[in-house]
Amino acid sequence: MQREVLWGLLTVAAGLFFSLMVLAYELGRVRNVAAPRIAFCVAIAGMVAFGLRWFSCADEGPVPWRVILLGLAAGGFQGAATWMIPPARSRGPFTPINAALNMAFVPTAIFALCVLHQALTVVAVVGMALSVGCVVAGSLAAGEEKPGNGLQGKTTTGGNIARMRLEYVAILAFMVASVGVSGIAISYLAVRPFGDGRDWFSHFEDAYFLFLYVGFLVPTAVSMAGVGKRTRFVDVLGLGLLASFGSVVGMSMLGYAARLPGGVGFASVCVCAIVGGAIICTLLFGERRGVAWYASLACAVLAVLCFNLKF
């Protein structure tokens, strides 16, 4: 029991570490550091961390090309999602964005249903509906931000707000789809037996994350052009280190989440990352909280619980 309590505390800590990326991205908005530049630093740190972990296990054998390609694809789509953070943030609050970035399980569930032919439970269907509700409710918060919170110079007439909400919901949907590629890749590898009593993902987990960060590097590297002109390199480095610390430490602690029964671990990670990010946005950056904001946050948390807890 004491061991499971420790695992639970470490799982909660993993989610809070992931929420540090929200802090870095919002500080980047204030310091004129674009999200892809922060993500570039995260990619470098992840490559180093998981590269060392993989190459320290010399007996694991060569990495199959499928693991490499799936890791690169997952990282590439996640890197593309970071390019959508600034336009999304200029249209609405960050909390629904953070929720969308933590909904990798939605495309994964669709993949499991359509490709792996796994049946969805009633609770999972409810979770799917709540995920849609999170994105829709989040879109209703578009245009409600106070001046100085990302909407500088925008005229928020009725027509403009309607357009901004449509654009915001489209960006959120793209983010959900992009981060879902990693979940789909992991699901695909996890159902393939390797032959040593483990599946492909368990055997090549460190290698997969290594190539995920390599793929993450590619779309974010181009953002580094022009650093030093309008953006100070020291700001990029400082915020990059903050986000890297949260990402790498959080990712490294996911193993403790997997040890907890009934999906409690992964649910705890996602809920803590979403709620922790919401607290950061409201307390430190004065993010406006309306009915749509609370509805989006509640739908996100309930969707995570429906998809991850085994009832």
Side-chain angles (χ1 to χ4, degrees):
M1 177 62 70
Q2 290 182 345
R3 186 172 58 180
E4 289 192 351
V5 171
L6 176 60
W7 291 344
L9 292 175
L10 291 174
T11 296
V12 170
L16 296 178
F17 275 116
F18 280 126
S19 68
L20 289 179
M21 298 184 69
V22 175
L23 176 60
Y25 287 139
E26 282 290 81
L27 284 173
R29 179 177 58 84
V30 175
R31 304 291 295 178
N32 195 34
V33 180
R37 290 176 173 173
I38 299 173
F40 173 80
C41 299
V42 174
I44 296 293
M47 287 170 54
V48 172
F50 285 97
L52 290 175
R53 286 180 55 168
W54 170 254
F55 290 113
S56 66
C57 303
D59 58 339
E60 295 292 348
V63 183
W65 63 268
R66 290 184 182 179
V67 175
I68 296 174
L69 291 180
L70 288 173
L72 291 174
F77 275 98
Q78 290 195 27
T82 65
W83 280 96
M84 303 307 296
I85 292 177
R89 189 63 186 86
S90 69
R91 289 164 174 78
F94 198 96
T95 295
I97 297 171
N98 184 41
L101 292 173
N102 281 281
M103 285 190 174
F105 50 82
V106 175
T108 305
I110 296 174
F111 174 80
L113 175 66
C114 299
V115 179
L116 301 180
H117 305 293
Q118 298 176 356
L120 289 181
T121 65
V122 174
V123 176
V125 174
V126 173
M128 189 81 71
L130 287 168
S131 302
V132 175
C134 171
V135 174
V136 173
S139 70
L140 296 178
E144 293 183 354
E145 285 287 85
K146 294 177 290 187
N149 262 11
L151 295 176
Q152 301 93 328
K154 291 184 180 292
T155 304
T156 52
T157 62
N160 284 342
I161 291 178
R163 187 187 71 252
M164 289 170 61
R165 287 175 175 173
L166 287 174
E167 293 169 348
Y168 192 57
V169 73
I171 294 173
L172 294 181
F174 173 80
M175 287 179 170
V176 172
S178 295
V179 298
V181 175
S182 178
I184 291 173
I186 291 174
S187 296
Y188 174 79
L189 295 174
V191 298
R192 296 179 61 85
F194 185 74
D196 61 350
R198 295 185 292 173
D199 55 69
W200 277 44
F201 180 71
S202 298
H203 192 86
F204 296 107
E205 179 178 354
D206 290 336
Y208 169 80
F209 283 119
L210 166 61
F211 286 102
L212 181 147
Y213 278 109
V214 172
F216 197 53
L217 179 76
V218 176
T220 57
V222 295
S223 69
M224 296 304 291
V227 170
K229 296 179 180 178
R230 294 182 56 192
T231 303
R232 296 194 309 166
F233 179 77
V234 66
D235 290 334
V236 176
L237 181 61
L239 295 176
L241 288 174
L242 174 62
S244 299
F245 178 71
S247 175
V248 174
V249 175
M251 199 77 73
S252 300
M253 297 173 73
L254 283 181
Y256 296 104
R259 299 176 188 179
L260 292 174
V264 173
F266 290 111
S268 299
V269 171
C270 290
V271 168
C272 290
I274 293 172
V275 175
I279 293 173
I280 288 172
C281 290
T282 55
L283 294 185
L284 299 184
F285 299 97
E287 186 171 274
R288 187 173 181 178
R289 291 166 291 176
V291 175
W293 186 94
Y294 281 109
S296 178
L297 179 61
C299 286
V301 171
L302 292 174
V304 168
L305 296 177
C306 287
F307 271 101
N308 289 279
L309 295 183
K310 304 297 187 289
F311 294 93

